[in-house]
Amino acid sequence: MNMVEAINNALHNEMKSDDKVLIIGEDVGKDGGVFRVTDGLIQEFGEDRVIDSPLAESGIVGFAIGLALYGFKPIAEIQFMGFLWPCLDQLSSHASRIRNRTWGRYTVPLVVRAPYGGGVRALEHHAESFESILAHIPGLKVVIPSNPYDAKGLLISSIRDPDPVVFLEPKRIYRGFKEEVPEEAYIEEIGKAKVLVEGDDLTLVGWGSMIPKILKARELMLEKGIKAEVIDIRSISPYDYHTVHKSVEKTGRIVVVQEAPRTLGFASEIISRINDNEMLNLKAPAFRVTGFDVPFPYYKMEEWAMPDLDRIIKASRQVLKW
Amino acid sequence: MFQIIDSNGKLVGLDPNLDEKLLKEMYWWMVYARMADDKALKLQRQGRIGTFPPTTGQEATQVGSGLATDKEDWIFPAFRELGTYLLRGIPLEKMFLYFMGDVRGNIIPENVRNLPMYVPVSTQIPQAVGAAYGMKLSNKKNAVVCFFGDGATSKGDFSEGLNFAGIFNTPNVFICQNNQWAISVPRKKQTASKTIAQKAIAYGFPGILVDGNDVLAMYLATKEALERAKSGDGPTLIEAYTYRLRMHTTADDPTRYRTDEELKEWEQRDPITRFRIYLESLGIWSKEWQKELETKAEDMIKKAIEKAENIEELKPEDLFSYMYLEMNPSLTEQLDYLKKMLATKEIEENSEKIEGGFP
């Protein structure tokens, strides 16, 4: 399955096994979503559970919070991350804090799905990556898969999670590649990073859309005898720093790669924690390769705005030569 | 405007023939809410509770609508619904706790289907619609009542929420407490619409303008809207035309933006006074009964303050324990840090020098 199919399959599994699970979003019904992620679900589960909503993002998330408070497990789809901004009030003022402000009397088991990121020659406002803003909201979980297998397992965990989860889907790899994905339900634990490839020379860290680029960079460097360890963070909130720190203790060198703008991106948090805990294990400063502090550009300039193989390899060379 | 008794307490609408027990209950909750509000204002001035939004003047809106609900109906409030809050079964000490800056004020009793107060204006509206959709999907014959003020009707979530309600025909009753002022901004600067009730037409369901200082009118209008909602006929918007006799919150000074004349005019329409006159005309109200209610309320208020002021102390854990069902490693670290800092605290905020040395 590719990632779109794996996510569709996860939604199908969960809707079938739990009638409290429902989907709401723009064009999620008849149209099957603009990326066809919810394709076929309305035919099987009906329009009461696969709800084509009016065009109102804050309303969608607010409505979904109400469903969650009442005991349902809603999955809200926001068509593109660039349209998630109006939902920040509902997410930060309510979804993220109702458990805390009522000491568990009320909870919001909600999932908000949104495709994010650039590289698909999309229109303006269709290629944003502001995951660090979401991770900065205490009480949310922010999950970002990088492959079909994880996408399914992490989405099922997110749906079953008793707390609100924002599930960001790297649309550049929606149909990028296929891999073996079981038909039956399975879970991947939220808050556990995954070491994708082991290595001793340096640690390369990323999430979502950056992972294929990082893996490719590793492959190229291997030809020169450099063995990089590659870690897929998978969830930036909660963040599994133990796995990253363990790797840095071994390699002493780290490059963090993020598509999002540079200043105050999640790479900054990763490096800050290394500063707190791993300073003496570093053989070189912790580096980051990031997007720029500009709005995600129109597509003629989009390749300039994103970390690429060249930049990842140059940063790696710098930390290795230090 | 729908009205049963006018501001002189005279029956002007159809006699609803409500039973005496209910009439007495209406009066009791209004008196109790007013007295609790008076006391809260005093406590705030003494520094025993923090900033809070007084409710005086709006008791009929809150009590009339609240008493029309069933226990199984849900309520999504804003933050000025003390009358509804109390009559639904939330103990008064919870209100005191909340305004004492104690999060435990939000722990609504398990059997009460009320959400805690919503501070960000209008954000509760789409949530109330989602909950009502869930209710409908569960085939429950109940409804969701959602409160907000006149200011909220200017916001996007009002529009989005009511639009969803119209489309999905949800069992909702929207009650706009139009108290004429959103802090210093008058109702006419919130909307060019002649009434707030008429906004419902645009969303495809009925809106009704009700005298919000007439507890009987509020009760009957809400009852009817709830029946509509529960029989599958969809939502209703009720504009409760009322007035905030006090400040927006205790941090506000209304003399900066409204006149004495206006205030005096609305004091003449006090919801409690007019209902008392009406009850007196029915032979239900007497001075002795009034005294009895006041003594009971005073006693309950005193006990609530005692409970709120003597609640056990909060622990550092309480800051972190309820963020997620399970605490994550980052939060555990932050809790350990806070505990360590509190246990080893040596420098107070007003310290002039550091006692200990540096390595």
Side-chain angles (χ1 to χ4, degrees), chain A residues 94-138:
Chain A
H94 299 297
S96 64
R97 52 166 93 194
I98 290 176
R99 176 190 291 281
N100 183 54
R101 70 192 284 263
T102 64
W103 280 18
R105 167 70 177 84
Y106 288 105
T107 60
V108 179
L110 159 77
V111 178
V112 177
R113 294 180 36 246
Y116 88 98
V120 297
R121 296 166 67 87
L123 271 172
E124 193 179 10
H125 300 289
H126 289 66
E128 278 62 24
S129 305
F130 55 86
E131 66 274 14
S132 65
I133 290 178
L134 295 163
H136 200 69
I137 299 172

Side-chain angles (χ1 to χ4, degrees), chain A residues 48 58-59 94 101 106 273, chain B residues 114 117 123 133 157 160 330:
Chain A
D48 285 346
S58 176
H94 299 297
R101 70 192 284 263
Y106 288 105
R273 279 174 178 270
Chain B
N114 275 49
M117 289 180 223
T123 53
Y133 184 95
D157 275 347
E160 296 187 18
S330 274

Side-chain angles (χ1 to χ4, degrees), chain A residues 302-320:
Chain A
E302 76 175 342
E303 294 302 331
W304 291 348
M306 295 191 298
D308 58 14
L309 272 183
D310 182 64
R311 290 176 217 173
I312 296 168
I313 288 168
K314 280 181 179 144
S316 303
R317 191 181 281 147
Q318 246 178 316
V319 299
L320 286 162

Side-chain angles (χ1 to χ4, degrees), chain A residues 32 36 55 57 66 76 101 106 120 144 155 159 167 189 197 217 220 235 237 254 294:
Chain A
R36 309 288 176 260
L55 211 165
E57 286 81 6
R101 70 192 284 263
Y106 288 105
V120 297
I144 314 175
L155 182 56
I159 296 167
F167 191 85
E189 197 182 334
V197 201
L220 293 181
S235 131
S237 177
I254 180 168
V294 299

Side-chain angles (χ1 to χ4, degrees), chain A residues 13 18 21 38 46 66 81 97 103 114 116 134 168 203 213 215 225 248 256 266 278 308:
Chain A
N13 285 156
D18 183 353
V21 176
T38 54
M81 193 183 199
R97 52 166 93 194
W103 280 18
Y116 88 98
L134 295 163
L168 298 175
T203 304
K213 294 192 188 198
L215 287 171
V248 169
V256 185
F266 199 73
E278 299 299 329
D308 58 14

Side-chain angles (χ1 to χ4, degrees), chain B residues 6-26:
Chain B
D6 69 9
S7 35
N8 299 315
K10 211 174 120 239
L11 190 72
V12 291
L14 280 177
D15 188 346
N17 284 316
L18 299 174
D19 69 49
E20 187 176 325
K21 188 168 162 278
L22 178 61
L23 296 175
K24 283 180 141 177
E25 214 182 327
M26 287 175 175

